[in-house]
Amino acid sequence: MGKVIELSWYQNNNVVDVAIGLLGKHLCTNINGKQVKGLIVETEAYSGVNDKACHANNQRKTKRNRIMFEPGGHAYIYLCYGIHHLFNVVTNVIGKADAVLIRAVEPLEGVEAMLDRRKMRKFEKQVTNGPGKFTQAFGITTQYYGTALDSKIIWIEESKSISENNIIAAARIGVGYAEEDALKPWRFYLKENKWVSRF
DNA sequence: TAGGTGATCTTG
DNA sequence: AAGATCACCTAT
């Protein structure tokens, strides 16, 4: 068992640093009596009010994204396309609405529970290789909106760090509406890791 | 490659 | 009040 990351670690004013720092760490949930763990292999940084791809762009603050304006270390979970529950880590201090989207994990523990929730028989990469897929495998839904990430429900543990040589930076996925910000290389993933959502 | 899905946001 | 949009997934 790794050490649980403290909330203060997320209260960093550089969301790109946090997005890179989360790679290789262990995301854990204990939901409906099932504990699962996965290695974070893909993240994206969303940088507050000046990032056109970010839900908080242009000071937009609504019922959906209000947690982004709270201190770092809480879960921002929202329903995407009516079906998928997407999981973000809120970062930065109160009033600075940054967040990191977790896009994919490599299963480490609780594979049975993951397959069960995904209604899959075979253990293959489709279990957790996308932002809507791994949340389903982990039991994460909007019910857990705002959960502190040092809780017993959702938490992230330290693990050995990843060297920069093994990290790829690229444009974020699915943000074509964001004009020039769509090109920012704020998607990060582990090189040659088969659990990454797409290449 | 196309269609499903429903909360959220915007317009009138 | 109605319509458009959307940080995606699954199956053809």
Side-chain angles (χ1 to χ4, degrees), chain A residues 4 21 50 64 66 75 107 113 118 122 133 137 140 159-160 178 187 196:
Chain A
V4 176
N50 297 315
R64 179 176 70 161
R66 66 176 174 74
R118 294 277 293 134
K122 227 174 113 191
K133 298 181 198 175
I140 295 173
S159 153
K160 65 175 202 246
R187 174 188 181 217
V196 169

Side-chain angles (χ1 to χ4, degrees), chain A residues 12-20 45-48 91-92 98-100 186:
Chain A
N12 181 322
N13 69 8
N14 187 333
V15 65
V16 166
D17 279 354
V18 179
I20 292 170
Y46 286 85
S47 183
T91 73
N92 214 332
D98 297 348
V100 175
W186 287 351

Side-chain angles (χ1 to χ4, degrees), chain A residues 5-197:
Chain A
I5 296 173
E6 296 172 25
L7 300 192
S8 58
W9 184 81
Y10 302 101
Q11 291 156 17
N12 181 322
N13 69 8
N14 187 333
V15 65
V16 166
D17 279 354
V18 179
I20 292 170
L22 280 170
L23 290 173
K25 299 213 168 11
H26 295 168
L27 175 65
C28 313
T29 64
N30 191 334
I31 288 171
N32 293 331
K34 313 219 171 178
Q35 184 163 325
V36 302
K37 181 181 290 197
L39 183 110
I40 298 171
V41 301
E42 180 178 356
T43 62
E44 281 178 358
Y46 286 85
S47 183
V49 299
N50 297 315
D51 174 4
K52 290 197 173 86
C54 181
H55 289 167
N57 176 243
N58 200 23
Q59 299 287 350
R60 212 160 70 221
K61 184 174 180 180
T62 65
K63 188 176 172 204
R64 179 176 70 161
N65 74 349
R66 66 176 174 74
I67 196 71
M68 296 184 81
F69 291 82
E70 296 299 315
H74 297 265
Y76 170 37
I77 302 164
Y78 73 97
L79 191 65
C80 183
Y81 294 103
I83 308 176
H84 306 110
H85 299 259
L86 268 49
F87 174 78
N88 297 257
V89 174
V90 174
T91 73
N92 214 332
V93 297
I94 188 165
K96 301 286 186 73
D98 297 348
V100 175
L101 172 68
I102 309 297
R103 288 191 52 88
V105 307
E106 172 178 338
L108 294 177
E109 290 176 19
V111 170
E112 290 285 313
M114 295 186 202
L115 290 178
D116 193 43
R117 287 177 175 138
R118 294 277 293 134
K119 302 191 192 341
M120 291 173 62
R121 312 292 295 274
K122 227 174 113 191
F123 183 50
E124 51 194 353
K125 64 185 182 185
Q126 286 84 342
V127 185
T128 56
N129 72 344
K133 298 181 198 175
F134 94 82
T135 52
Q136 185 182 32
F138 275 53
I140 295 173
T141 67
T142 52
Q143 168 179 9
Y144 302 101
Y145 184 91
T147 301
L149 298 178
D150 60 355
S151 69
K152 303 282 193 226
I153 304 171
I154 308 175
W155 68 97
I156 303 179
E157 296 178 356
E158 297 283 1
S159 153
K160 65 175 202 246
S161 64
I162 305 289
S163 87
E164 267 191 45
N165 298 343
N166 293 321
I167 297 175
I168 309 283
R172 293 172 291 183
I173 305 276
V175 295
Y177 59 87
E179 300 169 28
E180 74 274 15
D181 289 338
L183 301 174
K184 293 214 161 82
W186 287 351
R187 174 188 181 217
F188 304 97
Y189 58 90
L190 297 187
K191 190 196 263 181
E192 292 171 7
N193 183 293
K194 77 169 194 174
W195 303 91
V196 169
S197 66

